[in-house]
């Protein structure tokens, strides 16, 4: 055995400490944040129809489950740390994997953690009024840059959970299991409230005799008015669109309230029997969450008239439902449920994201220190703390919400590219072991590509203020990739 092999044997390795339950908890815990409690308000304002609101969530459910089933094949085929980064690298080439990892670190993962962390701070303010985004400890200018008590709460939670995850995968997974179970129970609680606190006026307004009112405004020929965004002076104004276009427009809310289901693939190196448990966790996790989401929307329609959903204070639809059922106590119960939900979401995304930067580093495409595992715990400790540092800066910047708006389109593009990679790998590596093959291949994966491409086209046309900045952010990774590859070649030549 040569010295290089000896070093490889002696190097710390990932600990396969997560079973099927823990893997599924990461899928569900990363998906369920605060979106389901809020986005139906804006969606209903655009759609104006109970049937179209449910239809939009059904489209989201279909796409998410098809995407998860397609990723299941890739996950079982390549059960390595880094997940989607690895799939893009192997199918389309290193630059595509890097562009995904670059965008993930710059905004997708870190920006989401920051946004969800600050949401935790906002709802903590329900119990402790001094915790607020307007209660500044340190403030720069007249914008949102600085340290407020809400941002401080977010940073404390992010720091606590980052530290917990550096102690080993079993502790991180245990935290995820507990909080995912609790937030699922919270969603079931909202659904139970809807069953016992039905509002006759809401049911009459939203459903009516023979569900006549439910279908109102959902006909094929019914026109819908949408606000057209603008970018660099292009666009603006209003446009009259059909049913397929308006449902695609509101996918900004529903699709990305259901996002981050792919995070479990990042942790493949730490899942027991990944060839079985990864595809299963993706299918079970996404299917369960989307069923809960659709049920929650029926609850909203059963308790609140459409107008009340559209005009819920600060878009907090779930809070309005709980207030209708329990008064002021209901609002606090909902705030407690969202605190649990956001806490668990932050933990799942912290745990998963660090594994991508580790994989990139091992390929020479990220800081070298992030490619090392802790000798005692077998986790990428340096990667976790680097993720923590950038996330905290985003919390202080006040810009994470806007940045997330910009990458919504990019996230969907990367999903499409990854599923295109499924077809490419079937051609390039026909004999590669595939313990699980994508259900419905090639029809369902192709259907996902068609549906997602349609949504991307609609967003380019009607939401240019989000799509073009997102594309620019992704493309900024091209010169960064060139620098990293040049640096890698230089280091390799110096070792000769």
């Amino acid at each position: 055995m040569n010295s290089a092999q000896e070093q490889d044997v002696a190097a710390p390795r990932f600990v396969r400490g997560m079973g099927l339950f823990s893997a599924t908890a990461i899928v569900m815990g990363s998906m369920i944040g605060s979106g389901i409690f809020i986005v139906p308000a804006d969606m209903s304002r655009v759609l104006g129809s109970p049937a179209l609101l449910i239809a939009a969530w059904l489209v989201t459910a279909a796409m998410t489950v098809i995407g998860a089933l397609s990723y299941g094949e890739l996950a079982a085929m390549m059960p390595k740390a880094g997940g989607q980064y690895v799939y893009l690298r192997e199918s389309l080439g290193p630059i595509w994997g890097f562009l995904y990892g670059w965008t993930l670190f710059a905004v997708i993962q870190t920006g989401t953690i920051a946004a969800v962390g600050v949401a935790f701070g906002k709802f903590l303010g329900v119990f402790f009024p001094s915790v607020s985004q307007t209660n500044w400890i340190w403030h720069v200018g007249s914008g949102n840059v600085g340290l407020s008590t809400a941002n401080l709460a977010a940073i404390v939670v992010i720091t606590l959970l980052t530290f917990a995850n550096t102690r080993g995968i079993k502790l991180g997974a245990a935290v995820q299991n507990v909080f995912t179970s609790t937030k699922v129970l919270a969603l079931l609680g909202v659904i139970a409230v809807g069953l016992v606190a039905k509002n006759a006026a809401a049911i009459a307004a939203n459903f009516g005799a023979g569900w006549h009112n439910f279908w109102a405004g959902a006909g094929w020929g019914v026109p819908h008015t949408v606000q057209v965004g603008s970018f660099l002076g292009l666009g603006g104004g209003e446009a009259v669109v059909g049913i397929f276009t308006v449902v695609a427009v509101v996918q900004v809310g529903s699709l990305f309230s259901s996002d981050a289901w792919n995070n479990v693939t990042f942790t493949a190196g730490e899942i027991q029997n990944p060839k079985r448990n990864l595809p299963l966790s993706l299918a079970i996790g996404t299917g369960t969450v989307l069923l809960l989401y659709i049920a929650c929307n029926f609850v909203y329609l059963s308790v609140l008239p459409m107008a009340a959903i559209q005009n819920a204070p600060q878009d907090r639809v779930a809070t309005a439902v709980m207030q209708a059922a329990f008064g002021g106590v209901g609002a606090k119960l909902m705030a407690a449920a969202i605190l649990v939900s956001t806490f668990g979401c932050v933990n799942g995304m912290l745990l998963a994201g660090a594994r991508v930067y580790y994989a990139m580093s091992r390929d020479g495409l990220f800081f070298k220190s992030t490619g090392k595992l802790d000798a005692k715990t077998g986790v990428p400790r340096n990667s976790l703390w680097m993720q923590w540092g950038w996330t905290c800066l985003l919390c202080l910047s006040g810009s994470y919400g806007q940045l997330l708006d910009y990458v919504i389109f990019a996230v969907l593009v990367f999903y499409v590219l990854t599923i295109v990679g499924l077809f490419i790998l079937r051609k390039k590596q026909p004999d590669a072991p595939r313990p699980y093959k994508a259900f419905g291949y090639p029809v369902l994966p192709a259907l996902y590509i068609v549906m997602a491409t349609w949504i991307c086209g609609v967003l380019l046309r009607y939401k240019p203020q989000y799509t073009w900045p997102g594309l620019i952010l992704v493309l900024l990774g091209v010169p960064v990739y060139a620098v990293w590859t040049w640096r890698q070649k230089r280091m390799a030549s110096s070792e000769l």
Side-chain angles (χ1 to χ4, degrees), residues 51 246 397 431:
V246 76
S397 74
D431 300 323

Side-chain angles (χ1 to χ4, degrees), residues 311-436:
N311 297 291
Q314 299 182 57
D315 285 354
R316 295 175 182 174
V317 181
T319 301
V321 167
M322 295 296 284
Q323 278 187 313
F326 301 113
V329 174
K332 290 196 172 183
L333 286 172
M334 196 67 251
I338 294 175
L339 284 175
V340 169
S341 182
T342 51
F343 192 91
C345 185
V346 167
N347 183 73
M349 299 197 75
L350 284 170
L351 186 156
R355 275 64 183 173
V356 178
Y357 322 135
Y358 164 86
M360 293 171 67
S361 176
R362 300 294 290 180
D363 290 340
L365 295 174
F366 207 60
F367 299 102
K368 188 175 181 180
S369 62
T370 60
K372 297 178 180 178
L373 298 180
D374 184 85
K376 292 183 179 180
T377 62
V379 299
R381 185 178 61 182
N382 294 337
S383 185
L384 280 161
W385 284 118
M386 185 167 290
Q387 177 180 247
W388 166 85
W390 181 243
T391 303
C392 289
L393 284 175
L394 288 178
C395 285
L396 296 174
S397 74
S399 62
Y400 48 82
Q402 187 178 26
L403 289 171
L404 281 174
D405 288 338
Y406 291 164
V407 299
I408 282 175
F409 175 79
V411 169
L412 197 55
V413 168
F414 282 121
Y415 280 148
V416 171
L417 289 173
T418 304
I419 295 179
V420 168
L422 173 67
F423 288 88
I424 292 173
L425 287 172
R426 284 281 187 111
K427 295 292 184 182
K428 286 173 59 177
Q429 303 177 23
D431 300 323
R434 289 178 170 83
Y436 163 81

